[in-house]
Amino acid sequence: TIGASGAFLSDDIDLNTSLVVGSVVTDLGTVVTGNTPGDTNIDIDMGTIAINSTVQVEFDVTVNHIPAGNTIEISNQANLSTTNLGNFVTDDPNQPGGADPTIIAGFGPPKIIPTTTNIGLFALILAMMTAVKGVFSRRKKDNK
């Protein structure tokens, strides 16, 4: 019995990421697209996949700019087409059910909260002291 013949894997990389050139590796087949500068997707000609076997494909991406204080979702799901068994999509094994894309969260840098300089802090303290002095001056006049 033959496994999956004419196996070809395609994976469109999430738009929030960029594929790292030269990072695509597989333990079966040939990387057709994905290791050349400017590639935005992965194509691997796997040939025949034996029954009850697994194929490992690994690649790296860089997360594009995430605005400060924001969170984004990064999703990935590859397609496997075969000449004798049809088409399949990858599944996130950490999710119940089948054919789930893998989704992870990307976090932007913390939002910078404006702070005062030493001069600004001194001016703020001076303004507060002046306001407090004004309140006490009014109380003394009211008590007379």
Side-chain angles (χ1 to χ4, degrees):
T1 304
I2 191 167
S5 62
F8 195 86
L9 182 95
S10 295
D11 192 346
D12 293 330
I13 304 305
D14 189 287
L15 295 176
N16 291 310
T17 64
S18 298
L19 189 58
V20 175
V21 176
S23 68
V24 183
V25 293
T26 180
D27 59 359
L28 178 69
T30 304
V31 176
V32 177
T33 306
N35 282 334
T36 304
D39 287 350
T40 58
N41 66 304
I42 297 169
D43 293 316
I44 300 174
D45 185 352
M46 296 182 169
T48 300
I49 302 173
I51 293 175
N52 296 323
S53 67
T54 59
V55 178
Q56 187 167 334
V57 174
E58 294 181 16
F59 58 90
D60 296 327
V61 296
T62 300
V63 177
N64 298 335
H65 175 73
I66 303 172
N70 288 344
T71 303
I72 62 168
E73 281 190 347
I74 300 168
S75 177
N76 186 261
Q77 187 168 41
N79 297 294
L80 177 69
S81 61
T82 66
T83 55
N84 64 332
L85 299 176
N87 299 325
F88 305 90
V89 292
T90 57
D91 176 52
D92 183 349
N94 297 318
Q95 297 298 320
D100 300 305
T102 299
I103 299 173
I104 62 170
F107 302 95
K111 210 171 231 182
I112 304 299
I113 299 171
T115 58
T116 58
T117 63
N118 288 341
I119 294 171
L121 185 57
F122 178 71
L124 178 62
I125 291 170
L126 186 60
M128 290 172 60
M129 288 173 57
T130 303
V132 169
K133 181 180 176 193
V135 169
F136 284 122
S137 295
R138 265 187 282 160
R139 283 190 182 168
K140 285 182 182 179
K141 288 179 185 177
D142 290 343
N143 290 336
K144 288 185 180 179

